[in-house]
Structures are given as structure tokens and as C-alpha cells.
Amino acid sequence: MPGKVYLVGSGTGDPELLTLRAYKLLKIADVVIYDNLVSQNVLALVNEKAEKIFVGKVSGKHLYPQEKINALLVEKAKENNVVVRLKGGDPLIFGRAGDEMAALDEAGIEYEVVPGVTAASAAASKAKLPLTHREFTSVVTFVSGHRKNNMPLDISYKKLVDLGGTIVVYMGVGTMEEMVEGFLKAGFSGNTPVLVAQAVDRSEEIFIKTTLAELPKIKKQKNLKPPVVWILGEVVELAKLDV
Ligand SMILES: C[S@@+](CC[C@H](N)C(=O)[O-])C[C@H]1O[C@@H](n2cnc3c(N)ncnc32)[C@H](O)[C@@H]1O
């Protein structure tokens, strides 16, 4: 009988924010397959006997293409009981879990998803920023600033303007200037407040409050580097930066 694969969210880095289920699985895992955004503090909780396999990026390049990771999950599930696929944040938010679940379905391997704290929630919590608020908005949108194989972005900025509310941009450092231009051209005010959250829960953590128009300047001044989420919308006015 093959084992079971657990797609586990590790949050943004603070082990205290793992679910109890994630913690227990790290203690009994036979294999842990993890990538860059999993913090050393979380990895330190993995039991000593587990085989640990890093499948993240090195110098910006994927060591393992997604197909190879899918195949590895299937192979390890055939040889072990508990295979943990450990991911940054939540596995179901920009986490490629869809590809991995499809591969596991195809191979007839049982799996379970264990949620984690996504970067938007971790950043908002630290900055005491309500992503929704009865006085401001009941809409929050997560947008990716990156597409598969670096294909050009296909964001409909106009639709986002019409929708309104809070927008959280993931993977949007490299494309920040392009996205800011897109938002401005579509009708967002340059004064829209923005919170930049870099490396939440890491030693390089920075929070900056700025505006949409000023964002590209801030990127240069602060030399922003991934992982970053930026949050735009009225609710950002409420953020408290005593983090
Ligand atoms: C491939 S996506 C993974 C998202 C993840 N599954 C989640 O739910 O947070 C990677 C992006 O998540 C965001 N991210 C992940 N960890 C972060 C952190 N500690 N601080 C700020 N942003 C983070 C960044 O936008 C980063 O480029």
C-alpha cells in the first residue's frame, strides 16, 4: 500500500503559527519535501529521522521543475507512509498545490491538505491591518505579479478598479513598476495607501507605509527583495507599524 502525502502550509516563518496538525505531521514524517519559503525555524521541528529534500530555487532557478516534484511525491509515497510536502504560507494560495494534487490523483495516491497562514494574513496581522472592514470594504483580492514561465502579466486593472476593496499583490517586486502603472492608468488614485511587507517573520522583515504613486521610488530606496506582499486600499490607513 502506498503512503499518504500531506500538502502542509508552513506559514511565513514563525513556528508558533503552524497548525497543530502541521506540527504533529512534522514529528512523524518519513520524508519532508520543502522549498525556499519554508523557514529554518520551522524546519528545525522536523524529526531527525525524516529524509529532507529541498526542491526550491537556487540563484533564482528551480532545482526541480514542477513535473519532477510531482514525480518525486508519487515515488516517495510508494516507498513511505508519511510524506510531507511543506510549502510557504498556505498550499492553496499561489502554491502550485493544484498541479501536485492532479499528479497524486492520477497516480492514485491519497493526500490531505493542511492549511497554513498565507502571507497576506501574516502581514496584515503584524501590521494590525483589517483586510476587510465594515466601514471601508467587504472585498479583498489576492493578485499575483508573476505568471508561469515569466509570461507577460494579464491583469485586468480596470476590473480591479471596478471591484474596489483591498488588493494584496503576491510576487510583485520584479513587476512592481508595471503594475503600479497599470493601476494608475486604470483609475486608481496615486494617493491610494499601500503597505509593503517584506520578509514577514524573518530577520530581514520590513514594513513600510506609502502610496501607490511613491511605490516604485520606495522599491529603489529600500532595495526591496522578495518575498514581499504589498497591500493597497483604504484599510491600509488603519495599519499600525509598531511591529
Ligand atoms: C509562490 S508564492 C507562495 C505564497 C504562499 N503559498 C502563501 O500562501 O503565502 C510566494 C510569494 O508569497 C509572498 N510571501 C511568502 N512568504 C512571505 C513572507 N514571509 N513575507 C512576505 N511575503 C511573503 C511573496 O509575495 C512571495 O513572492
Side-chain angles (χ1 to χ4, degrees), residues 12 37 88-90 93-94 118-119 170-171 197 199-200 227-229:
T12 43
L37 288 171
D90 183 90
I93 297 179
F94 304 128
T118 190
Y170 285 67
M171 294 172 275
V200 179
V228 167
V229 281

Side-chain angles (χ1 to χ4, degrees), residues 53-88:
I53 308 175
F54 174 68
V55 294
K57 285 183 189 170
V58 172
S59 311
K61 286 203 176 139
H62 284 285
L63 268 186
Y64 279 64
Q66 188 60 49
E67 297 67 36
K68 208 170 154 194
I69 298 176
N70 299 348
L72 185 67
L73 289 175
V74 172
E75 179 196 319
K76 291 296 173 187
K78 286 182 178 164
E79 297 165 353
N80 297 277
N81 281 328
V82 180
V83 177
V84 170
R85 172 69 175 112
L86 194 57
K87 292 171 174 286

Side-chain angles (χ1 to χ4, degrees), residues 6-56:
Y6 297 84
L7 302 166
V8 177
S10 71
T12 43
D14 182 351
E16 297 273 329
L17 297 179
L18 284 175
T19 61
L20 199 50
R21 179 107 182 108
Y23 179 80
K24 285 179 178 169
L25 285 166
L26 296 182
K27 293 299 178 197
I28 59 162
D30 298 307
V31 187
V32 175
I33 299 171
Y34 67 100
D35 42 33
N36 296 71
L37 288 171
V38 176
S39 77
Q40 289 305 319
N41 290 341
V42 169
L43 282 177
L45 298 176
V46 175
N47 75 80
E48 278 178 13
K49 288 190 185 142
E51 180 187 5
K52 290 194 220 165
I53 308 175
F54 174 68
V55 294

Side-chain angles (χ1 to χ4, degrees), residues 90-218:
D90 183 90
L92 302 181
I93 297 179
F94 304 128
R96 300 190 184 192
D99 300 35
E100 294 172 12
M101 290 191 288
L104 294 167
D105 277 331
E106 198 178 317
I109 305 281
E110 210 190 327
Y111 59 87
E112 176 183 323
V113 182
V114 179
V117 177
T118 190
S121 300
S125 301
K126 277 211 150 167
K128 302 186 175 74
L129 183 173
L131 291 171
T132 61
H133 191 296
R134 286 186 301 170
E135 305 299 325
F136 295 92
T137 180
S138 55
V139 175
V140 56
T141 309
F142 294 171
V143 180
S144 170
H146 181 262
R147 279 186 77 202
K148 193 175 173 183
N149 302 329
N150 290 322
M151 285 191 297
L153 297 181
D154 66 349
I155 298 167
S156 174
Y157 298 99
K158 181 74 181 66
K159 281 191 184 146
L160 290 174
V161 175
D162 293 344
L163 189 62
T166 310
I167 298 172
V168 185
V169 180
Y170 285 67
M171 294 172 275
V173 176
T175 50
M176 191 176 267
E177 294 81 356
E178 175 187 341
M179 291 186 77
V180 168
E181 199 184 322
F183 282 126
L184 293 175
K185 275 191 182 155
F188 272 87
S189 158
N191 291 325
T192 309
V194 174
L195 180 82
V196 177
Q198 173 180 275
V200 179
D201 287 335
R202 308 297 168 98
S203 53
E204 324 83 81
E205 179 181 278
I206 312 177
F207 283 85
I208 305 160
K209 224 186 215 183
T210 181
T211 62
L212 191 57
E214 291 293 303
L215 193 53
K217 208 161 76 191
I218 294 289

